[in-house]
C-alpha cells in the first residue's frame, strides 16, 4: 500500500494553578485485512481496496479540585474518515458479499472524565462519551446500501466506563472495571436484502489482580489473574455472533536478566 506518514501533535497550557487547556491533531491509516482482499467462503475478493485514512482533532480542558484529589476533564472531538471499508451484501445467484470503500464518514462528540485519588494506594476513574458516527458522503462507485446521513454500523452513540484500583508497589495490585456500550445499528445478513436492526445495550464487569512472589534488585516474578465478563452476560458486538462468556485467565510475569 505504498508509503504512509502519520503524525500527532498536541499542546497543553496552564490557566491558573488548577486549570489546564489542551488540544491535539492527528492522522492515521488502516490497511485492508487479508480476508477483505482475498475471497472467502462468504465473500468475493476485493483486491482494489484502498486503506482507510483518518484525521482527528480534539480540544478540551481539565480542572483539579480538593488539592488535586479530584480531577474533572472534558473535551470535544471531531474525526473524519476517508475510504472506510464496509461490507456490501451480495445478490443472486450465490449471494456472496464483498468489501468496498466509502467516500467519507465522520464521528464527532464529546467526552467527560473524572479521576479520583482516594489515597496513596487507591484510585478511581469514570468516563462517558457521546458520539455521532455517520456516513458523510458516498461516491457513485459505491455499491452498498449506506447513504449520506446514516449511522455507521456497530458504533454506539453512548458509551461509558469506570475503574477502581488498588496497588502497593512491589507487592500486589487489584482492579475492577465496568464498561457500557449503548444501542448501535447492525445488519441482519441472514435475510436478503439485509435489514437494519438494533443491537441491545450491554455492560460488562472485569476483574484483574497481580501478586509479586519473588523480588530482588535485579529480578521480579509475579502471578497474574484476570476475569472477563464476571457476571457471565450474554451480548453481541456483531449480530448473531455471541461474545465470549465469563473468561478466566491465569499467567505469570517475569522481569530482569536471565
Amino acid at each position: 500500500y505504498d508509503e504512509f506518514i502519520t503524525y500527532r501533535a498536541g499542546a497543553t497550557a496552564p490557566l491558573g494553578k488548577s486549570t489546564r487547556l489542551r488540544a491535539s491533531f492527528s492522522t492515521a491509516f488502516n490497511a485492508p485485512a487479508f480476508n477483505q482482499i482475498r475471497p472467502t467462503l462468504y465473500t468475493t475478493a476485493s483486491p482494489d481496496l484502498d486503506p482507510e485514512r483518518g484525521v482527528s482533532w480534539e480540544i478540551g480542558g481539565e480542572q483539579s479540585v480538593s488539592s488535586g484529589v479530584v480531577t474533572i476533564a472534558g473535551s470535544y472531538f471531531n474525526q473524519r474518515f476517508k475510504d472506510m471499508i464496509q461490507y456490501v451484501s451480495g445478490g443472486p445467484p450465490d449471494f456472496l458479499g464483498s468489501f468496498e470503500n466509502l467516500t467519507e464518514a465522520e464521528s464527532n462528540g464529546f467526552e467527560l472524565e473524572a479521576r479520583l485519588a482516594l489515597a496513596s494506594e487507591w484510585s478511581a476513574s469514570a468516563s462517558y462519551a457521546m458520539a455521532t458516527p455517520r456516513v458523510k458522503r458516498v461516491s457513485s462507485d459505491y455499491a452498498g446500501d449506506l447513504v449520506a446521513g446514516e449511522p455507521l454500523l456497530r458504533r454506539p452513540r453512548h458509551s461509558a466506563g469506570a475503574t477502581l484500583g488498588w496497588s502497593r508497589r512491589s507487592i500486589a495490585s487489584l482492579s475492577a472495571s465496568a464498561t457500557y456500550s449503548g444501542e448501535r445499528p447492525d445488519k441482519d445478513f441472514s435475510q436478503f436484502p439485509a435489514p437494519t436492526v438494533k443491537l441491545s445495550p450491554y455492560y460488562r464487569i472485569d476483574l484483574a489482580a497481580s501478586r509479586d512472589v519473588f523480588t530482588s534488585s535485579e529480578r521480579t516474578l509475579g502471578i497474574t489473574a484476570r476475569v472477563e465478563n464476571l457476571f457471565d452476560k450474554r451480548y453481541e458486538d456483531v449480530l448473531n455472533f455471541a461474545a465470549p462468556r465469563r473468561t478466566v485467565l491465569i499467567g505469570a510475569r517475569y522481569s530482569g536478566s536471565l
Side-chain angles (χ1 to χ4, degrees), residues 123-127 160-166 174-180 202-209 225-231 233:
S123 63
S125 64
S127 63
T163 300
L164 175 65
W166 175 89
L174 300 170
S175 68
S177 61
T179 56
Y180 169 81
Y202 71 87
Y203 72 90
R204 197 180 86 178
I205 305 294
D206 300 334
L207 299 179
R226 190 166 76 251
V227 181
E228 299 177 349
N229 195 5
L230 176 66
F231 295 119
K233 286 286 184 179

mmCIF file of all heavy atoms in Angstrom, residues 123-127 160-166 174-180 202-209 225-231 233:
data_model
loop_
_atom_site.group_PDB
_atom_site.id
_atom_site.type_symbol
_atom_site.label_atom_id
_atom_site.label_comp_id
_atom_site.label_asym_id
_atom_site.label_seq_id
_atom_site.Cartn_x
_atom_site.Cartn_y
_atom_site.Cartn_z
ATOM 1 N N SER A 123 -7.174 4.416 43.634
ATOM 2 C CA SER A 123 -7.503 5.347 42.560
ATOM 3 C C SER A 123 -8.819 4.923 41.930
ATOM 4 O O SER A 123 -9.210 3.748 42.001
ATOM 5 C CB SER A 123 -6.401 5.387 41.501
ATOM 6 O OG SER A 123 -6.270 4.112 40.874
ATOM 7 N N ALA A 124 -9.507 5.872 41.335
ATOM 8 C CA ALA A 124 -10.772 5.575 40.662
ATOM 9 C C ALA A 124 -10.936 6.541 39.504
ATOM 10 O O ALA A 124 -10.436 7.675 39.537
ATOM 11 C CB ALA A 124 -11.945 5.696 41.634
ATOM 12 N N SER A 125 -11.628 6.095 38.484
ATOM 13 C CA SER A 125 -11.881 6.956 37.331
ATOM 14 C C SER A 125 -13.196 6.540 36.691
ATOM 15 O O SER A 125 -13.649 5.396 36.824
ATOM 16 C CB SER A 125 -10.741 6.865 36.306
ATOM 17 O OG SER A 125 -10.651 5.549 35.769
ATOM 18 N N ALA A 126 -13.814 7.477 36.004
ATOM 19 C CA ALA A 126 -15.056 7.207 35.286
ATOM 20 C C ALA A 126 -15.097 8.094 34.053
ATOM 21 O O ALA A 126 -14.559 9.217 34.060
ATOM 22 C CB ALA A 126 -16.271 7.467 36.176
ATOM 23 N N SER A 127 -15.707 7.619 32.982
ATOM 24 C CA SER A 127 -15.775 8.386 31.746
ATOM 25 C C SER A 127 -17.091 8.119 31.038
ATOM 26 O O SER A 127 -17.704 7.063 31.211
ATOM 27 C CB SER A 127 -14.598 8.042 30.819
ATOM 28 O OG SER A 127 -14.659 6.680 30.423
ATOM 29 N N ALA A 160 -19.634 4.291 28.126
ATOM 30 C CA ALA A 160 -19.146 4.744 29.421
ATOM 31 C C ALA A 160 -18.260 3.668 30.033
ATOM 32 O O ALA A 160 -18.296 2.498 29.635
ATOM 33 C CB ALA A 160 -20.308 5.079 30.354
ATOM 34 N N GLY A 161 -17.483 4.071 31.021
ATOM 35 C CA GLY A 161 -16.617 3.128 31.714
ATOM 36 C C GLY A 161 -16.218 3.663 33.071
ATOM 37 O O GLY A 161 -16.243 4.875 33.320
ATOM 38 N N ALA A 162 -15.851 2.760 33.973
ATOM 39 C CA ALA A 162 -15.403 3.137 35.311
ATOM 40 C C ALA A 162 -14.413 2.098 35.806
ATOM 41 O O ALA A 162 -14.545 0.907 35.498
ATOM 42 C CB ALA A 162 -16.580 3.265 36.273
ATOM 43 N N THR A 163 -13.425 2.553 36.579
ATOM 44 C CA THR A 163 -12.397 1.656 37.106
ATOM 45 C C THR A 163 -12.068 2.027 38.540
ATOM 46 O O THR A 163 -11.945 3.219 38.875
ATOM 47 C CB THR A 163 -11.109 1.726 36.265
ATOM 48 O OG1 THR A 163 -11.397 1.348 34.915
ATOM 49 C CG2 THR A 163 -10.038 0.793 36.813
ATOM 50 N N LEU A 164 -11.924 1.025 39.379
ATOM 51 C CA LEU A 164 -11.474 1.209 40.757
ATOM 52 C C LEU A 164 -10.249 0.333 40.946
ATOM 53 O O LEU A 164 -10.287 -0.868 40.638
ATOM 54 C CB LEU A 164 -12.574 0.810 41.742
ATOM 55 C CG LEU A 164 -12.201 0.848 43.229
ATOM 56 C CD1 LEU A 164 -11.894 2.280 43.659
ATOM 57 C CD2 LEU A 164 -13.309 0.255 44.089
ATOM 58 N N GLY A 165 -9.156 0.930 41.440
ATOM 59 C CA GLY A 165 -7.919 0.177 41.553
ATOM 60 C C GLY A 165 -7.209 0.377 42.874
ATOM 61 O O GLY A 165 -7.342 1.429 43.523
ATOM 62 N N TRP A 166 -6.470 -0.641 43.274
ATOM 63 C CA TRP A 166 -5.606 -0.589 44.459
ATOM 64 C C TRP A 166 -4.272 -1.180 44.070
ATOM 65 O O TRP A 166 -4.195 -2.209 43.396
ATOM 66 C CB TRP A 166 -6.214 -1.387 45.610
ATOM 67 C CG TRP A 166 -5.317 -1.478 46.818
ATOM 68 C CD1 TRP A 166 -5.251 -0.605 47.860
ATOM 69 C CD2 TRP A 166 -4.356 -2.514 47.093
ATOM 70 N NE1 TRP A 166 -4.314 -1.017 48.776
ATOM 71 C CE2 TRP A 166 -3.750 -2.190 48.336
ATOM 72 C CE3 TRP A 166 -3.953 -3.669 46.427
ATOM 73 C CZ2 TRP A 166 -2.756 -2.985 48.908
ATOM 74 C CZ3 TRP A 166 -2.962 -4.452 46.988
ATOM 75 C CH2 TRP A 166 -2.376 -4.124 48.222
ATOM 76 N N LEU A 174 -4.863 -4.709 42.496
ATOM 77 C CA LEU A 174 -6.203 -5.204 42.216
ATOM 78 C C LEU A 174 -6.955 -4.128 41.454
ATOM 79 O O LEU A 174 -6.740 -2.930 41.686
ATOM 80 C CB LEU A 174 -6.959 -5.519 43.520
ATOM 81 C CG LEU A 174 -6.367 -6.558 44.461
ATOM 82 C CD1 LEU A 174 -7.115 -6.536 45.792
ATOM 83 C CD2 LEU A 174 -6.447 -7.946 43.839
ATOM 84 N N SER A 175 -7.842 -4.521 40.569
ATOM 85 C CA SER A 175 -8.657 -3.549 39.853
ATOM 86 C C SER A 175 -9.978 -4.177 39.437
ATOM 87 O O SER A 175 -10.055 -5.386 39.183
ATOM 88 C CB SER A 175 -7.928 -3.001 38.621
ATOM 89 O OG SER A 175 -7.768 -4.000 37.636
ATOM 90 N N ALA A 176 -11.008 -3.346 39.400
ATOM 91 C CA ALA A 176 -12.319 -3.746 38.893
ATOM 92 C C ALA A 176 -12.766 -2.676 37.914
ATOM 93 O O ALA A 176 -12.646 -1.479 38.182
ATOM 94 C CB ALA A 176 -13.324 -3.883 40.038
ATOM 95 N N SER A 177 -13.254 -3.094 36.765
ATOM 96 C CA SER A 177 -13.665 -2.139 35.743
ATOM 97 C C SER A 177 -15.026 -2.520 35.184
ATOM 98 O O SER A 177 -15.370 -3.706 35.099
ATOM 99 C CB SER A 177 -12.633 -2.056 34.614
ATOM 100 O OG SER A 177 -12.485 -3.312 33.978
ATOM 101 N N ALA A 178 -15.783 -1.512 34.830
ATOM 102 C CA ALA A 178 -17.100 -1.701 34.224
ATOM 103 C C ALA A 178 -17.139 -0.924 32.918
ATOM 104 O O ALA A 178 -16.671 0.216 32.853
ATOM 105 C CB ALA A 178 -18.202 -1.219 35.167
ATOM 106 N N THR A 179 -17.673 -1.530 31.879
ATOM 107 C CA THR A 179 -17.835 -0.855 30.594
ATOM 108 C C THR A 179 -19.287 -0.963 30.146
ATOM 109 O O THR A 179 -19.952 -1.967 30.402
ATOM 110 C CB THR A 179 -16.926 -1.472 29.520
ATOM 111 O OG1 THR A 179 -17.196 -2.884 29.417
ATOM 112 C CG2 THR A 179 -15.456 -1.284 29.871
ATOM 113 N N TYR A 180 -19.750 0.089 29.492
ATOM 114 C CA TYR A 180 -21.118 0.125 28.989
ATOM 115 C C TYR A 180 -21.083 0.536 27.524
ATOM 116 O O TYR A 180 -20.361 1.476 27.143
ATOM 117 C CB TYR A 180 -21.960 1.122 29.787
ATOM 118 C CG TYR A 180 -23.307 1.415 29.154
ATOM 119 C CD1 TYR A 180 -24.383 0.555 29.324
ATOM 120 C CD2 TYR A 180 -23.486 2.550 28.363
ATOM 121 C CE1 TYR A 180 -25.613 0.810 28.732
ATOM 122 C CE2 TYR A 180 -24.711 2.816 27.764
ATOM 123 C CZ TYR A 180 -25.769 1.943 27.951
ATOM 124 O OH TYR A 180 -26.976 2.213 27.356
ATOM 125 N N TYR A 202 -25.382 -3.124 26.482
ATOM 126 C CA TYR A 202 -24.891 -4.101 27.444
ATOM 127 C C TYR A 202 -23.827 -3.457 28.327
ATOM 128 O O TYR A 202 -23.257 -2.423 28.002
ATOM 129 C CB TYR A 202 -24.306 -5.331 26.732
ATOM 130 C CG TYR A 202 -22.993 -5.083 26.023
ATOM 131 C CD1 TYR A 202 -21.772 -5.195 26.687
ATOM 132 C CD2 TYR A 202 -22.966 -4.722 24.668
ATOM 133 C CE1 TYR A 202 -20.573 -4.963 26.036
ATOM 134 C CE2 TYR A 202 -21.778 -4.492 24.010
ATOM 135 C CZ TYR A 202 -20.581 -4.613 24.701
ATOM 136 O OH TYR A 202 -19.398 -4.362 24.048
ATOM 137 N N TYR A 203 -23.608 -4.081 29.478
ATOM 138 C CA TYR A 203 -22.491 -3.680 30.335
ATOM 139 C C TYR A 203 -21.705 -4.936 30.693
ATOM 140 O O TYR A 203 -22.220 -6.055 30.638
ATOM 141 C CB TYR A 203 -22.982 -2.972 31.600
ATOM 142 C CG TYR A 203 -23.655 -3.874 32.607
ATOM 143 C CD1 TYR A 203 -22.916 -4.513 33.604
ATOM 144 C CD2 TYR A 203 -25.030 -4.095 32.562
ATOM 145 C CE1 TYR A 203 -23.530 -5.346 34.515
ATOM 146 C CE2 TYR A 203 -25.643 -4.929 33.477
ATOM 147 C CZ TYR A 203 -24.884 -5.547 34.457
ATOM 148 O OH TYR A 203 -25.492 -6.376 35.351
ATOM 149 N N ARG A 204 -20.443 -4.730 31.069
ATOM 150 C CA ARG A 204 -19.568 -5.849 31.397
ATOM 151 C C ARG A 204 -18.671 -5.461 32.558
ATOM 152 O O ARG A 204 -18.188 -4.332 32.629
ATOM 153 C CB ARG A 204 -18.714 -6.219 30.183
ATOM 154 C CG ARG A 204 -18.086 -7.592 30.265
ATOM 155 C CD ARG A 204 -17.251 -7.885 29.042
ATOM 156 N NE ARG A 204 -15.896 -7.358 29.191
ATOM 157 C CZ ARG A 204 -14.936 -7.519 28.273
ATOM 158 N NH1 ARG A 204 -15.207 -8.153 27.158
ATOM 159 N NH2 ARG A 204 -13.742 -7.020 28.480
ATOM 160 N N ILE A 205 -18.451 -6.405 33.480
ATOM 161 C CA ILE A 205 -17.575 -6.197 34.625
ATOM 162 C C ILE A 205 -16.356 -7.096 34.483
ATOM 163 O O ILE A 205 -16.494 -8.304 34.233
ATOM 164 C CB ILE A 205 -18.288 -6.502 35.953
ATOM 165 C CG1 ILE A 205 -19.586 -5.693 36.085
ATOM 166 C CG2 ILE A 205 -17.357 -6.227 37.138
ATOM 167 C CD1 ILE A 205 -19.385 -4.212 36.181
ATOM 168 N N ASP A 206 -15.172 -6.529 34.644
ATOM 169 C CA ASP A 206 -13.923 -7.285 34.593
ATOM 170 C C ASP A 206 -13.148 -7.078 35.897
ATOM 171 O O ASP A 206 -13.189 -5.987 36.484
ATOM 172 C CB ASP A 206 -13.047 -6.833 33.417
ATOM 173 C CG ASP A 206 -13.735 -7.028 32.077
ATOM 174 O OD1 ASP A 206 -14.612 -7.905 31.973
ATOM 175 O OD2 ASP A 206 -13.392 -6.281 31.141
ATOM 176 N N LEU A 207 -12.421 -8.108 36.314
ATOM 177 C CA LEU A 207 -11.549 -8.030 37.478
ATOM 178 C C LEU A 207 -10.132 -8.412 37.067
ATOM 179 O O LEU A 207 -9.939 -9.243 36.177
ATOM 180 C CB LEU A 207 -12.020 -8.975 38.593
ATOM 181 C CG LEU A 207 -13.416 -8.750 39.183
ATOM 182 C CD1 LEU A 207 -13.698 -9.818 40.247
ATOM 183 C CD2 LEU A 207 -13.547 -7.356 39.767
ATOM 184 N N ALA A 208 -9.146 -7.809 37.722
ATOM 185 C CA ALA A 208 -7.752 -8.149 37.444
ATOM 186 C C ALA A 208 -6.950 -8.055 38.733
ATOM 187 O O ALA A 208 -7.251 -7.235 39.612
ATOM 188 C CB ALA A 208 -7.158 -7.217 36.387
ATOM 189 N N ALA A 209 -5.933 -8.906 38.851
ATOM 190 C CA ALA A 209 -5.084 -8.907 40.037
ATOM 191 C C ALA A 209 -3.696 -9.397 39.659
ATOM 192 O O ALA A 209 -3.527 -10.186 38.726
ATOM 193 C CB ALA A 209 -5.678 -9.792 41.135
ATOM 194 N N ALA A 225 -3.870 -12.675 37.334
ATOM 195 C CA ALA A 225 -5.173 -13.312 37.126
ATOM 196 C C ALA A 225 -6.137 -12.265 36.601
ATOM 197 O O ALA A 225 -6.087 -11.101 36.994
ATOM 198 C CB ALA A 225 -5.695 -13.920 38.421
ATOM 199 N N ARG A 226 -7.009 -12.672 35.711
ATOM 200 C CA ARG A 226 -7.996 -11.770 35.137
ATOM 201 C C ARG A 226 -9.294 -12.519 34.876
ATOM 202 O O ARG A 226 -9.265 -13.651 34.385
ATOM 203 C CB ARG A 226 -7.472 -11.150 33.841
ATOM 204 C CG ARG A 226 -8.322 -10.020 33.310
ATOM 205 C CD ARG A 226 -7.603 -9.216 32.244
ATOM 206 N NE ARG A 226 -7.543 -9.888 30.975
ATOM 207 C CZ ARG A 226 -6.451 -10.394 30.441
ATOM 208 N NH1 ARG A 226 -5.305 -10.326 31.098
ATOM 209 N NH2 ARG A 226 -6.478 -10.983 29.257
ATOM 210 N N VAL A 227 -10.402 -11.909 35.243
ATOM 211 C CA VAL A 227 -11.718 -12.465 34.963
ATOM 212 C C VAL A 227 -12.456 -11.464 34.080
ATOM 213 O O VAL A 227 -12.710 -10.328 34.501
ATOM 214 C CB VAL A 227 -12.528 -12.723 36.247
ATOM 215 C CG1 VAL A 227 -13.884 -13.338 35.898
ATOM 216 C CG2 VAL A 227 -11.760 -13.635 37.190
ATOM 217 N N GLU A 228 -12.780 -11.865 32.880
ATOM 218 C CA GLU A 228 -13.514 -11.012 31.964
ATOM 219 C C GLU A 228 -14.984 -11.449 31.929
ATOM 220 O O GLU A 228 -15.284 -12.635 31.983
ATOM 221 C CB GLU A 228 -12.914 -11.094 30.556
ATOM 222 C CG GLU A 228 -11.466 -10.621 30.507
ATOM 223 C CD GLU A 228 -10.846 -10.770 29.130
ATOM 224 O OE1 GLU A 228 -11.470 -11.428 28.266
ATOM 225 O OE2 GLU A 228 -9.738 -10.236 28.909
ATOM 226 N N ASN A 229 -15.874 -10.468 31.877
ATOM 227 C CA ASN A 229 -17.316 -10.737 31.883
ATOM 228 C C ASN A 229 -17.691 -11.521 33.143
ATOM 229 O O ASN A 229 -18.230 -12.634 33.084
ATOM 230 C CB ASN A 229 -17.738 -11.493 30.622
ATOM 231 C CG ASN A 229 -19.233 -11.473 30.398
ATOM 232 O OD1 ASN A 229 -19.974 -10.828 31.132
ATOM 233 N ND2 ASN A 229 -19.684 -12.208 29.391
ATOM 234 N N LEU A 230 -17.403 -10.923 34.285
ATOM 235 C CA LEU A 230 -17.559 -11.581 35.578
ATOM 236 C C LEU A 230 -18.953 -12.174 35.775
ATOM 237 O O LEU A 230 -19.094 -13.294 36.276
ATOM 238 C CB LEU A 230 -17.255 -10.578 36.701
ATOM 239 C CG LEU A 230 -17.470 -11.066 38.130
ATOM 240 C CD1 LEU A 230 -16.479 -12.171 38.477
ATOM 241 C CD2 LEU A 230 -17.344 -9.902 39.116
ATOM 242 N N PHE A 231 -19.990 -11.469 35.394
ATOM 243 C CA PHE A 231 -21.352 -11.932 35.638
ATOM 244 C C PHE A 231 -21.928 -12.739 34.473
ATOM 245 O O PHE A 231 -23.139 -12.941 34.393
ATOM 246 C CB PHE A 231 -22.257 -10.743 35.958
ATOM 247 C CG PHE A 231 -21.878 -10.046 37.236
ATOM 248 C CD1 PHE A 231 -21.487 -8.721 37.228
ATOM 249 C CD2 PHE A 231 -21.902 -10.732 38.438
ATOM 250 C CE1 PHE A 231 -21.126 -8.083 38.409
ATOM 251 C CE2 PHE A 231 -21.545 -10.107 39.617
ATOM 252 C CZ PHE A 231 -21.161 -8.780 39.615
ATOM 253 N N LYS A 233 -22.460 -12.270 31.280
ATOM 254 C CA LYS A 233 -23.502 -11.610 30.498
ATOM 255 C C LYS A 233 -23.541 -12.137 29.064
ATOM 256 O O LYS A 233 -22.513 -12.427 28.458
ATOM 257 C CB LYS A 233 -23.252 -10.100 30.466
ATOM 258 C CG LYS A 233 -23.575 -9.383 31.763
ATOM 259 C CD LYS A 233 -25.074 -9.281 31.944
ATOM 260 C CE LYS A 233 -25.433 -8.484 33.176
ATOM 261 N NZ LYS A 233 -26.892 -8.361 33.347
#
